[in-house]
Amino acid sequence: METVLGRYRNLIVLVGILFAQVVGLAVQVKRTTETESSLLIRVWAVHAVTPLEKGLGWVQTSSSSLWRNYLYLRGVRAENRDLKQQLEQLHIEQARLKQDADQAQRLQSLLAFRQQYISETLAAQVIGSSGSDQSHSVYIDKGAHDGLKPDMAVITLDGVVGKVLRVFPYTSLVLLIDDPSSGVGVILDKARLQGVLRGTPAGEITVERVMADEQVPVGEKVLTSGGDQIFVKGLPVGTVTQVKPGAELFLSIHVRPAANLNKLEEVLVVTRKVEKQAEPGDAGPVRASDILALRLPSVPLKDAPNAGDVSAEKSPSDSGKKPIPPAKSQPSPENPPR
Amino acid sequence: MSRTSTSGAQVEVFSFSAPVTFGIPLIAIFLQAWLPLRLSWFSVLDLPLLVTIFFAMARRNPITGLLTGTFIGLFQDALTHQALGVYGIAKTVVGYGASSLGIRIDSENPGARMLLTLVFYVVHKSVYFLIAAGLVGQSLRWDWLHEISSAVANAIFGVLLYSLLDRFKRRI
């Protein structure tokens, strides 16, 4: 007996270790995620790796910030001029959009429509990844001490990134939307079709549960629908790149994410959402033409063919659908609105 | 210098200091988690696997090899959001296999090292795939072209890495 044990000792240890891990796996697969998150080995692993990641991240950010902000300022003047021009254009666009938003808000108030809004976000730095191709997740430098909780939405200015999956004292694990185990309730912007956004093993993202007889054009914007109770409605998710027949009478809609998930540096965690009902008072009687009149008091009517349309002197009914002229000057205290 | 005798062949057995034993796997796991965010091509490499193979081949003890694989694999699992044990099992098998083969062949030769790394990369991926798809129920995609090219990349990088790590070896 001793000879047999001695002879096959290595193999017996191998089988024993493998058996223990298989049993451990089987137990975990049956458990919920919340129970799993408290495993000590995860805490140790995260505590061993993330301080290094944070430290190196800090060094990298500091050195690149020093370079960008103090040493490499070539072309900043020209860029600043371009940005000012863009800002002027955006002011006009904002005025037009505000009119549309006000109108929508008035309609919503009439329908007693309740909607969630993002009321508080927390900026966080991406410090590391899971280190596995099969696990599309990243670590951020904010955790329970900063008020983070599981299932909080994580976004960038470009679009949706994912959700907080596990929270450690000073770091958190964020599950990206391109992971096969993630799921986001989405709506196609123009077609108004709802579906579920999921990652594929190949690292792509697709919209599922859209019937095969629906028409979905390539280039259609994909937004969050708010149905998953994690992301508020209307956040940009991506753009449809390919539509083909999928399994079981559903379409397979491939989406290019709005946020660059491969080059994440800074993200925003939505720490607070509020649900409010639009009130008639919110919309107010302000029209786009009034806002433009305030912002562009010095635009001469005769120089711009359509300028008269947006002037406060014109009747409100005329101003609604006319094109808005480009801005000629910044609003200033010396040019009071008429 | 002590030598172990197997099938008439004389092979050297090496050991490592405690800081190297714990520090190098930790650095490998850290780099695997940190570098792909900065250099996306780096995700093709599997540093924890290469370190497992290196330690297993150098120590030439199957039990030490499989335990090294187990700990590195479980540690790697702990950083993902998946169940613990998938990488653990895959690297346990690789640790055992690499150390068992290390007794029988000259694993100091760069050509042998490259071939062994290539083979163990495919073994590691196959075991991972079987466990993740079969036991955990993950949906995975097996792409031969991708796996073979990744295996070659790891084998080439592995040979360079091993020659660097050879400096930390101590003869028993």
mmCIF file of all heavy atoms in Angstrom, chain B residues 1 10 12 15 20-21 27 39 59 80 83 90 94 96-97 105-106 121-122 125 127 148 158 164 168:
data_model
loop_
_atom_site.group_PDB
_atom_site.id
_atom_site.type_symbol
_atom_site.label_atom_id
_atom_site.label_comp_id
_atom_site.label_asym_id
_atom_site.label_seq_id
_atom_site.Cartn_x
_atom_site.Cartn_y
_atom_site.Cartn_z
ATOM 1 N N MET B 1 26.604 21.126 -5.904
ATOM 2 C CA MET B 1 25.480 21.060 -6.858
ATOM 3 C C MET B 1 24.825 19.682 -6.759
ATOM 4 O O MET B 1 25.487 18.670 -6.877
ATOM 5 C CB MET B 1 26.019 21.277 -8.275
ATOM 6 C CG MET B 1 24.937 21.270 -9.321
ATOM 7 S SD MET B 1 25.652 21.081 -10.971
ATOM 8 C CE MET B 1 26.870 22.384 -10.999
ATOM 9 N N GLN B 10 21.005 13.223 -16.477
ATOM 10 C CA GLN B 10 21.325 14.080 -15.336
ATOM 11 C C GLN B 10 20.740 15.464 -15.588
ATOM 12 O O GLN B 10 21.087 16.119 -16.555
ATOM 13 C CB GLN B 10 22.856 14.180 -15.196
ATOM 14 C CG GLN B 10 23.530 12.864 -14.905
ATOM 15 C CD GLN B 10 23.288 12.386 -13.482
ATOM 16 O OE1 GLN B 10 23.540 13.100 -12.534
ATOM 17 N NE2 GLN B 10 22.789 11.169 -13.336
ATOM 18 N N GLU B 12 19.645 19.292 -13.749
ATOM 19 C CA GLU B 12 19.830 20.144 -12.583
ATOM 20 C C GLU B 12 18.487 20.569 -12.019
ATOM 21 O O GLU B 12 17.520 20.766 -12.772
ATOM 22 C CB GLU B 12 20.611 21.396 -12.985
ATOM 23 C CG GLU B 12 22.075 21.117 -13.217
ATOM 24 C CD GLU B 12 22.810 22.388 -13.559
ATOM 25 O OE1 GLU B 12 22.682 22.833 -14.707
ATOM 26 O OE2 GLU B 12 23.477 22.939 -12.675
ATOM 27 N N SER B 15 16.317 26.161 -7.223
ATOM 28 C CA SER B 15 15.353 26.714 -6.260
ATOM 29 C C SER B 15 15.381 28.240 -6.393
ATOM 30 O O SER B 15 16.208 28.796 -7.117
ATOM 31 C CB SER B 15 15.735 26.304 -4.838
ATOM 32 O OG SER B 15 16.893 27.006 -4.434
ATOM 33 N N VAL B 20 11.623 36.072 -4.683
ATOM 34 C CA VAL B 20 11.434 35.747 -6.099
ATOM 35 C C VAL B 20 10.216 34.842 -6.270
ATOM 36 O O VAL B 20 9.404 35.032 -7.176
ATOM 37 C CB VAL B 20 12.716 35.071 -6.665
ATOM 38 C CG1 VAL B 20 12.470 34.510 -8.059
ATOM 39 C CG2 VAL B 20 13.859 36.062 -6.688
ATOM 40 N N THR B 21 10.100 33.859 -5.371
ATOM 41 C CA THR B 21 8.977 32.909 -5.463
ATOM 42 C C THR B 21 7.628 33.624 -5.406
ATOM 43 O O THR B 21 6.705 33.275 -6.147
ATOM 44 C CB THR B 21 9.065 31.889 -4.305
ATOM 45 O OG1 THR B 21 10.335 31.252 -4.388
ATOM 46 C CG2 THR B 21 7.971 30.860 -4.375
ATOM 47 N N ILE B 27 4.182 40.160 -9.698
ATOM 48 C CA ILE B 27 4.470 41.175 -10.729
ATOM 49 C C ILE B 27 3.848 40.754 -12.063
ATOM 50 O O ILE B 27 3.297 41.582 -12.790
ATOM 51 C CB ILE B 27 6.003 41.377 -10.870
ATOM 52 C CG1 ILE B 27 6.546 42.076 -9.615
ATOM 53 C CG2 ILE B 27 6.347 42.197 -12.111
ATOM 54 C CD1 ILE B 27 8.055 42.113 -9.518
ATOM 55 N N LEU B 39 -1.331 49.165 -23.463
ATOM 56 C CA LEU B 39 -0.902 48.532 -24.721
ATOM 57 C C LEU B 39 -1.857 47.377 -24.994
ATOM 58 O O LEU B 39 -1.722 46.311 -24.411
ATOM 59 C CB LEU B 39 0.525 47.996 -24.591
ATOM 60 C CG LEU B 39 1.602 48.967 -24.103
ATOM 61 C CD1 LEU B 39 2.855 48.210 -23.688
ATOM 62 C CD2 LEU B 39 1.941 49.958 -25.192
ATOM 63 N N ARG B 59 12.088 23.906 -11.220
ATOM 64 C CA ARG B 59 12.084 23.136 -9.955
ATOM 65 C C ARG B 59 12.024 21.643 -10.201
ATOM 66 O O ARG B 59 12.469 20.855 -9.378
ATOM 67 C CB ARG B 59 10.899 23.580 -9.097
ATOM 68 C CG ARG B 59 11.105 24.956 -8.512
ATOM 69 C CD ARG B 59 9.957 25.287 -7.598
ATOM 70 N NE ARG B 59 10.141 26.569 -6.943
ATOM 71 C CZ ARG B 59 9.248 27.537 -6.946
ATOM 72 N NH1 ARG B 59 8.103 27.379 -7.582
ATOM 73 N NH2 ARG B 59 9.475 28.666 -6.325
ATOM 74 N N THR B 80 -10.766 38.484 -11.680
ATOM 75 C CA THR B 80 -11.859 38.537 -12.657
ATOM 76 C C THR B 80 -13.191 38.507 -11.912
ATOM 77 O O THR B 80 -13.218 38.367 -10.688
ATOM 78 C CB THR B 80 -11.811 37.327 -13.617
ATOM 79 O OG1 THR B 80 -12.147 36.155 -12.872
ATOM 80 C CG2 THR B 80 -10.440 37.157 -14.235
ATOM 81 N N ALA B 83 -16.078 32.775 -11.659
ATOM 82 C CA ALA B 83 -15.920 31.853 -10.527
ATOM 83 C C ALA B 83 -14.445 31.505 -10.330
ATOM 84 O O ALA B 83 -13.678 31.432 -11.284
ATOM 85 C CB ALA B 83 -16.715 30.582 -10.815
ATOM 86 N N ALA B 90 -6.711 25.084 -14.821
ATOM 87 C CA ALA B 90 -5.911 25.083 -16.054
ATOM 88 C C ALA B 90 -4.412 25.197 -15.721
ATOM 89 O O ALA B 90 -3.582 24.479 -16.295
ATOM 90 C CB ALA B 90 -6.344 26.227 -16.958
ATOM 91 N N VAL B 94 -1.068 22.631 -16.105
ATOM 92 C CA VAL B 94 0.154 23.081 -16.791
ATOM 93 C C VAL B 94 1.368 22.951 -15.861
ATOM 94 O O VAL B 94 2.436 22.470 -16.281
ATOM 95 C CB VAL B 94 -0.010 24.543 -17.283
ATOM 96 C CG1 VAL B 94 1.326 25.124 -17.726
ATOM 97 C CG2 VAL B 94 -1.004 24.598 -18.430
ATOM 98 N N TYR B 96 1.826 20.915 -13.376
ATOM 99 C CA TYR B 96 2.154 19.489 -13.222
ATOM 100 C C TYR B 96 2.852 18.983 -14.482
ATOM 101 O O TYR B 96 3.896 18.328 -14.407
ATOM 102 C CB TYR B 96 0.869 18.685 -12.965
ATOM 103 C CG TYR B 96 1.112 17.210 -12.777
ATOM 104 C CD1 TYR B 96 1.507 16.713 -11.535
ATOM 105 C CD2 TYR B 96 0.949 16.324 -13.830
ATOM 106 C CE1 TYR B 96 1.745 15.358 -11.362
ATOM 107 C CE2 TYR B 96 1.180 14.973 -13.659
ATOM 108 C CZ TYR B 96 1.574 14.490 -12.427
ATOM 109 O OH TYR B 96 1.814 13.158 -12.257
ATOM 110 N N GLY B 97 2.278 19.300 -15.620
ATOM 111 C CA GLY B 97 2.831 18.814 -16.896
ATOM 112 C C GLY B 97 4.229 19.369 -17.150
ATOM 113 O O GLY B 97 5.126 18.622 -17.549
ATOM 114 N N ILE B 105 13.254 16.070 -20.068
ATOM 115 C CA ILE B 105 13.960 16.679 -21.209
ATOM 116 C C ILE B 105 14.788 17.877 -20.752
ATOM 117 O O ILE B 105 14.584 18.401 -19.650
ATOM 118 C CB ILE B 105 12.970 17.106 -22.324
ATOM 119 C CG1 ILE B 105 11.976 18.138 -21.779
ATOM 120 C CG2 ILE B 105 12.248 15.933 -22.919
ATOM 121 C CD1 ILE B 105 11.140 18.760 -22.865
ATOM 122 N N ASP B 106 15.661 18.323 -21.632
ATOM 123 C CA ASP B 106 16.536 19.452 -21.316
ATOM 124 C C ASP B 106 15.748 20.752 -21.542
ATOM 125 O O ASP B 106 15.653 21.259 -22.675
ATOM 126 C CB ASP B 106 17.766 19.416 -22.220
ATOM 127 C CG ASP B 106 18.643 20.642 -22.016
ATOM 128 O OD1 ASP B 106 18.510 21.287 -20.965
ATOM 129 O OD2 ASP B 106 19.462 20.944 -22.914
ATOM 130 N N TYR B 121 0.695 26.311 -23.841
ATOM 131 C CA TYR B 121 -0.276 27.384 -24.067
ATOM 132 C C TYR B 121 -1.584 26.772 -24.599
ATOM 133 O O TYR B 121 -2.669 27.109 -24.122
ATOM 134 C CB TYR B 121 0.266 28.418 -25.066
ATOM 135 C CG TYR B 121 -0.700 29.552 -25.295
ATOM 136 C CD1 TYR B 121 -0.681 30.679 -24.485
ATOM 137 C CD2 TYR B 121 -1.671 29.481 -26.290
ATOM 138 C CE1 TYR B 121 -1.595 31.713 -24.660
ATOM 139 C CE2 TYR B 121 -2.584 30.495 -26.474
ATOM 140 C CZ TYR B 121 -2.542 31.614 -25.665
ATOM 141 O OH TYR B 121 -3.458 32.616 -25.835
ATOM 142 N N VAL B 122 -1.439 25.867 -25.567
ATOM 143 C CA VAL B 122 -2.636 25.231 -26.149
ATOM 144 C C VAL B 122 -3.320 24.347 -25.102
ATOM 145 O O VAL B 122 -4.559 24.343 -24.998
ATOM 146 C CB VAL B 122 -2.255 24.421 -27.413
ATOM 147 C CG1 VAL B 122 -3.472 23.709 -27.982
ATOM 148 C CG2 VAL B 122 -1.659 25.337 -28.476
ATOM 149 N N LYS B 125 -5.201 26.647 -22.700
ATOM 150 C CA LYS B 125 -6.427 27.185 -23.310
ATOM 151 C C LYS B 125 -7.503 26.112 -23.429
ATOM 152 O O LYS B 125 -8.687 26.374 -23.213
ATOM 153 C CB LYS B 125 -6.101 27.756 -24.700
ATOM 154 C CG LYS B 125 -5.610 29.178 -24.659
ATOM 155 C CD LYS B 125 -6.760 30.133 -24.433
ATOM 156 C CE LYS B 125 -6.286 31.562 -24.393
ATOM 157 N NZ LYS B 125 -7.388 32.518 -24.279
ATOM 158 N N VAL B 127 -7.889 23.369 -21.558
ATOM 159 C CA VAL B 127 -8.457 23.035 -20.240
ATOM 160 C C VAL B 127 -9.375 24.180 -19.790
ATOM 161 O O VAL B 127 -10.484 23.946 -19.298
ATOM 162 C CB VAL B 127 -7.327 22.799 -19.204
ATOM 163 C CG1 VAL B 127 -7.911 22.569 -17.814
ATOM 164 C CG2 VAL B 127 -6.485 21.599 -19.601
ATOM 165 N N ILE B 148 -3.489 29.699 -32.131
ATOM 166 C CA ILE B 148 -2.150 29.290 -32.582
ATOM 167 C C ILE B 148 -1.216 30.501 -32.662
ATOM 168 O O ILE B 148 -0.060 30.442 -32.225
ATOM 169 C CB ILE B 148 -2.233 28.563 -33.954
ATOM 170 C CG1 ILE B 148 -3.003 27.245 -33.810
ATOM 171 C CG2 ILE B 148 -0.846 28.312 -34.533
ATOM 172 C CD1 ILE B 148 -2.340 26.195 -32.933
ATOM 173 N N GLY B 158 8.139 34.012 -24.307
ATOM 174 C CA GLY B 158 8.521 33.160 -23.176
ATOM 175 C C GLY B 158 10.018 32.882 -23.133
ATOM 176 O O GLY B 158 10.644 32.947 -22.078
ATOM 177 N N LEU B 164 15.671 35.912 -18.950
ATOM 178 C CA LEU B 164 15.756 36.980 -17.944
ATOM 179 C C LEU B 164 15.576 36.406 -16.534
ATOM 180 O O LEU B 164 16.316 36.745 -15.603
ATOM 181 C CB LEU B 164 14.658 38.013 -18.227
ATOM 182 C CG LEU B 164 14.679 39.285 -17.421
ATOM 183 C CD1 LEU B 164 15.796 40.196 -17.909
ATOM 184 C CD2 LEU B 164 13.348 40.023 -17.549
ATOM 185 N N PHE B 168 17.617 34.532 -11.646
ATOM 186 C CA PHE B 168 17.167 34.375 -10.254
ATOM 187 C C PHE B 168 17.284 32.932 -9.753
ATOM 188 O O PHE B 168 16.960 32.643 -8.609
ATOM 189 C CB PHE B 168 15.707 34.833 -10.111
ATOM 190 C CG PHE B 168 15.502 36.270 -10.458
ATOM 191 C CD1 PHE B 168 14.869 36.641 -11.638
ATOM 192 C CD2 PHE B 168 15.946 37.271 -9.606
ATOM 193 C CE1 PHE B 168 14.685 37.976 -11.959
ATOM 194 C CE2 PHE B 168 15.768 38.611 -9.928
ATOM 195 C CZ PHE B 168 15.138 38.962 -11.106
#
